[in-house]
Amino acid sequence: MTSPPISDTHDVAEKDYHAVRYFQFGNKPDASYILTSDPLSYLKAWFDNRISQETEESKKQPLKKAKYFVNLSQEFYTAFLAVKMPSKGVLLYYSFLNLVKAYLSANGREMETTEQEHHGLSLNSNGNGLKLAKSSGQGKGTLIFQTFAELLEQPVHSSAGDILIDDILQSLIEIHGLGASLDSWQGKPKYLPIDLHIMCKNRKQLYYELSYDKKQDKRLDTTKLKSVSEIIKDEVLSSQNNKSYYKSIKFFDYNNDDQGWKDAYQNIVKEVNNLNITTLLTRGGYRYYLYLGTPRLHRLCNTLAFAFYIGSVARYRPTLNETMLRGKHRAIIEEAVNACPKQFFYHLAGHITQEVYVVPMTKLD
């Protein structure tokens, strides 16, 4: 259950009667939620609307290509649902890849040139992780994985070495709890469940407040919060509900008009992003987790890397595939294959349209 904010003198921020919440999607501060049980179908309809509104063919073409890639993503996912591992891994990756290409195309990246595109990733020689491509080998070809990371404003560089599958799995929020239960991770778990509120002071300033259950101090290494003391500070006004409270040091001034709200909201989102907050979509809405470490990859890039790994192992390494499906990671890989797709679709659809997608409460399955 979400805890209330600590302040009894300030209010949770609202704009036009909409609660203002933190999201990474580039959405408006008062964004209404998009209720859909099929984000890919909604996304195709959204592109249809955008295409019909454009009068210039040069502006329609990237949108048409993006819709084409969304359709491919949906068809690969339909095929994915009908097969078993290891074929599932191959089809899952191509579903993710095409949705990423839709995102790139919608953001002006040309996905149809004479230059060769490159996934941007390859299996490393040991089969325990992935290598990042340094160049496409074709001059102007697109490195899809790296371009995706750049657009998400969390670039990834090959100089940091290989991306190991153990690190990829440990960074998947969808299966982190299961991995911890099975003692699959070295050290303590990394994701701290938090409550996050954007607050309003005197209708002139915004700030944010973060809290978590004190019982998490024994389970997790919460000293990470001390390392961001230049951003947030311990709020000792109260110890109610056995929670630890923090709030932002900086307050963000705003004018009570659309532009003032937009500027203040974008600034507060930018700062919260520096805390490495991850969202998880549930039937009850989005839940927030603070990553107690320094993530190398954006959450969506990490999911794409996971799909690339299991798809590549299925295609090129039958012996390793057999080991993987029967080894220590079997249970969490199977869980990730089932749990990650919808999270990836909902979150990336949000980034494409700059809207907030949620699961309708009427969805029964």
Side-chain angles (χ1 to χ4, degrees):
M1 182 176 179
T2 301
S3 68
I6 189 67
S7 176
D8 58 1
T9 58
H10 303 156
D11 299 318
V12 174
E14 290 187 352
K15 182 178 186 298
D16 297 333
Y17 306 103
H18 289 270
V20 177
R21 301 191 65 195
Y22 162 78
F23 294 107
Q24 273 191 317
F25 304 129
N27 51 283
K28 297 178 180 178
D30 58 341
S32 298
Y33 294 165
I34 304 299
L35 298 170
T36 177
S37 57
D38 188 349
L40 297 184
S41 290
Y42 179 89
L43 199 51
K44 289 193 295 184
W46 184 86
F47 276 117
D48 279 336
N49 285 338
R50 286 286 308 278
I51 292 166
S52 67
Q53 293 169 6
E54 291 291 351
T55 57
E56 298 179 25
E57 188 62 28
S58 61
K59 293 182 178 179
K60 287 185 178 183
Q61 281 305 310
L63 300 175
K64 289 180 178 179
K65 292 177 184 179
K67 181 192 171 184
Y68 170 84
F69 290 127
V70 174
N71 191 63
L72 282 182
S73 176
Q74 189 175 43
E75 291 182 351
F76 275 117
Y77 182 64
T78 299
F80 157 89
L81 293 173
V83 300
K84 299 179 180 180
M85 290 290 284
S87 300
K88 266 186 178 294
V90 178
L91 295 170
L92 181 64
Y93 173 65
Y94 281 107
S95 177
F96 286 0
L97 174 66
N98 278 284
L99 191 58
V100 169
K101 292 174 76 171
Y103 176 57
L104 268 56
S105 184
N107 280 275
R109 301 305 195 272
E110 180 55 62
M111 291 286 101
E112 190 176 15
T113 69
T114 56
E115 303 290 349
Q116 183 177 354
E117 296 168 3
H118 192 286
H119 297 274
L121 298 169
S122 62
L123 283 174
N124 65 10
S125 58
N126 296 324
N128 65 348
L130 302 171
K131 295 183 70 67
L132 283 159
K134 295 182 180 180
S135 69
S136 67
Q138 297 291 328
K140 298 180 181 179
T142 299
L143 294 175
I144 293 174
F145 187 81
Q146 287 82 341
T147 305
F148 185 41
E150 290 169 4
L151 284 174
L152 292 171
E153 298 184 349
Q154 192 169 332
V156 58
H157 304 288
S158 59
S159 59
D162 294 353
I163 305 170
L164 301 181
I165 183 59
D166 283 7
D167 294 335
I168 292 172
L169 291 172
Q170 189 168 2
S171 296
L172 289 173
I173 179 64
E174 293 87 347
I175 50 92
H176 193 77
L178 176 63
S181 299
L182 296 174
D183 295 325
S184 299
W185 319 133
Q186 292 184 354
K188 293 185 176 182
K190 296 290 187 181
Y191 283 106
L192 172 67
I194 64 170
D195 292 313
L196 183 64
H197 297 280
I198 295 179
M199 307 293 293
C200 178
K201 179 181 179 181
N202 301 327
R203 298 189 178 183
K204 294 181 179 179
Q205 292 179 311
L206 298 178
Y207 65 97
Y208 60 90
E209 184 180 280
L210 180 155
S211 63
Y212 69 90
D213 291 333
K214 287 185 176 180
K215 65 183 180 182
Q216 299 291 350
D217 290 329
K218 293 184 178 180
R219 192 176 74 91
L220 304 170
D221 182 11
T222 55
T223 57
K224 154 73 185 289
L225 291 171
K226 296 180 181 179
S227 70
V228 292
S229 58
E230 72 279 5
I231 299 176
I232 58 177
K233 64 180 179 180
D234 192 358
E235 184 57 63
V236 294
L237 296 176
S238 172
S239 58
Q240 67 176 3
N241 302 326
N242 294 316
K243 285 182 172 286
S244 294
Y245 287 86
Y246 291 77
K247 72 176 184 180
S248 58
I249 294 174
K250 186 183 296 184
F251 281 59
F252 300 84
D253 296 332
Y254 73 97
N255 297 319
N256 198 22
D257 56 28
D258 287 345
Q259 189 60 46
W261 269 102
K262 179 180 178 181
D263 292 343
Y265 181 72
Q266 288 179 344
N267 287 333
I268 211 167
V269 166
K270 184 177 181 179
E271 182 168 304
V272 174
N273 287 347
N274 292 329
L275 298 176
N276 299 317
I277 304 295
T278 298
T279 56
L280 188 68
L281 180 59
T282 72
R283 285 284 300 280
Y286 286 87
R287 295 185 179 179
Y288 298 97
Y289 296 81
L290 188 147
Y291 188 76
L292 299 170
T294 305
R296 183 177 178 187
L297 301 177
H298 186 280
R299 172 268 183 82
L300 295 179
C301 287
N302 195 75
T303 307
L304 181 63
F306 164 71
F308 180 88
Y309 180 83
I310 61 172
S312 297
V313 168
R315 285 182 294 162
Y316 304 121
R317 303 284 184 89
T319 303
L320 176 59
N321 183 77
E322 186 73 9
T323 302
M324 180 177 69
L325 293 182
R326 292 186 177 181
K328 65 175 182 176
H329 292 322
R330 179 187 61 82
I332 56 176
I333 286 175
E334 289 181 351
E335 182 69 18
V337 166
N338 290 318
C340 288
K342 284 298 182 72
Q343 293 289 331
F344 190 84
F345 296 152
Y346 273 94
H347 279 79
L348 188 47
H351 281 283
I352 290 172
T353 65
Q354 297 185 327
E355 297 173 321
V356 183
Y357 290 67
V358 296
V359 182
M361 295 298 290
T362 54
K363 182 174 171 55
L364 300 178
D365 57 348

